[in-house]
Amino acid sequence: MRFIEVRKQEWKRLNRHHHAPTMDTIDEDVTLIDADTGRIVGFQAHIGGQYEHLKKMLLRHLRYEVKYDSTGSKTGAARLSGMNYESRVFGNTAPQPLRRRYGVAESSFASHFPEAMKILVEFTKISWDLFQRVAPEEAKAHLALVDGRIHDDWLLGGAPFTSGILNNSAALPYHKDSGNIKGTWNNMLAIKTHISGGGLHIPEYGVCLGVPDGSISGFDGQGAWHGVTPFVKKRPDARRFTIVWYTKSGMVDSGSAEEEALKAKRRATKQGEITQ
């Protein structure tokens, strides 16, 4: 693992369509250290050959089974201000009364793609274990922001992440994530086939992680700007899948699955959506 000192600088995006340019990337395992605070602010590490079979199984599901939302109205808009790209939310969802969702609930992903969900839960555990090894103080701080505030029923694989999103070859412009518990980190698994580019540029720190195939990266995606560099597809079927885990602030002080289902039913009844 290589350690790199970085220093946060002021940076502003030009507009919401501001994309990262092509640039050199860091493709090795690396830990980013803030030169002023001495704290870890990001990392990138390969998951290891022992998980290669599991990664290939997940890739098959992502390519041939999972159906993605191709408009920002269902997934992208909630996190990225209306950007349109192919993605699919998994895990758990926070209440959204305007969408007639009155309690914390499991997303439809698990019921539609149960085998893929089982693998995603395993990778959630792998990601959390890696986070704790590479950035133990930051992982501890993340856990402290979640522990006792969100019911265990909504934590994926027992890790302090509530939810995730699958991005299918999405060259996203610069953005900050929204709706996460302030101070918590994102973890991201990359699965890439027949494609180059697609690095993760974090302009305030002046670094671009290559997010190579089979790597997990982590940083505060709500606190720092980040964008994806252009892709170069080597074959028509080239893909860059990223699986991003995060912890939703809308689930703080949630009850159990049974309690949230009852609460949602009562609120829906109050709104006249359910009749007894």
Side-chain angles (χ1 to χ4, degrees), residues 9 26 40 44 50 60 64 80 88 90 120 124 129 161 172 204 209 225 234 243 264 268-269:
Q9 304 290 333
I26 301 169
I40 295 174
Q44 172 179 275
Q50 68 268 37
R60 285 196 293 272
Y64 303 115
L80 298 172
R88 182 71 185 245
F90 66 92
L120 287 170
T124 306
D129 287 345
F161 299 110
L172 300 175
E204 291 163 291
L209 301 177
W225 291 101
K234 300 176 182 178
I243 299 93
T269 303

Side-chain angles (χ1 to χ4, degrees), residues 1-4 6 26 28-33 40-47 126-136 138-139 142 161 185-189 200 202 207 209-212 215-220 245:
M1 176 74 69
R2 178 184 171 198
F3 294 87
I4 299 178
V6 294
I26 301 169
E28 61 192 301
D29 291 0
V30 64
T31 301
L32 306 177
I33 309 292
I40 295 174
V41 295
F43 69 85
Q44 172 179 275
H46 289 77
I47 57 175
I126 294 166
S127 174
W128 174 237
D129 287 345
L130 180 63
F131 186 9
Q132 292 179 94
R133 293 199 310 272
V134 175
E138 288 66 34
H142 179 119
F161 299 110
W185 279 35
N186 293 354
N187 279 186
M188 181 176 77
L189 169 66
L200 181 70
I202 310 174
V207 295
L209 301 177
V211 289
S215 69
I216 290 176
S217 54
F219 74 113
D220 180 356
W245 291 273

Side-chain angles (χ1 to χ4, degrees), residues 38-110:
R39 298 297 300 269
I40 295 174
V41 295
F43 69 85
Q44 172 179 275
H46 289 77
I47 57 175
Q50 68 268 37
Y51 302 115
E52 184 65 22
H53 179 65
L54 194 64
K55 180 172 72 74
K56 288 181 178 178
M57 289 175 59
L58 179 57
L59 175 60
R60 285 196 293 272
H61 286 290
L62 297 179
R63 288 194 62 179
Y64 303 115
E65 179 187 14
V66 173
K67 306 300 181 185
Y68 299 92
D69 297 314
S70 59
T71 67
S73 60
K74 294 183 179 179
T75 56
R79 290 174 53 76
L80 298 172
S81 305
M83 300 174 197
N84 294 328
Y85 62 98
E86 285 200 334
S87 64
R88 182 71 185 245
V89 167
F90 66 92
N92 303 304
T93 58
Q96 286 188 295
L98 292 178
R99 298 186 182 182
R100 299 182 181 180
R101 189 164 65 230
Y102 299 106
V104 179
E106 185 178 52
S107 72
S108 62
F109 187 92

Side-chain angles (χ1 to χ4, degrees), residues 5-18:
E5 279 198 348
V6 294
R7 181 170 277 109
K8 195 170 187 178
Q9 304 290 333
E10 185 177 350
W11 182 89
K12 293 182 179 180
R13 69 173 181 175
L14 301 177
N15 52 57
R16 69 188 186 97
H17 302 293
H18 185 183

Side-chain angles (χ1 to χ4, degrees), residues 111-124:
S111 60
H112 290 167
F113 313 108
E115 293 305 313
M117 190 64 209
K118 289 178 184 178
I119 300 174
L120 287 170
V121 169
E122 289 304 307
F123 272 115
T124 306

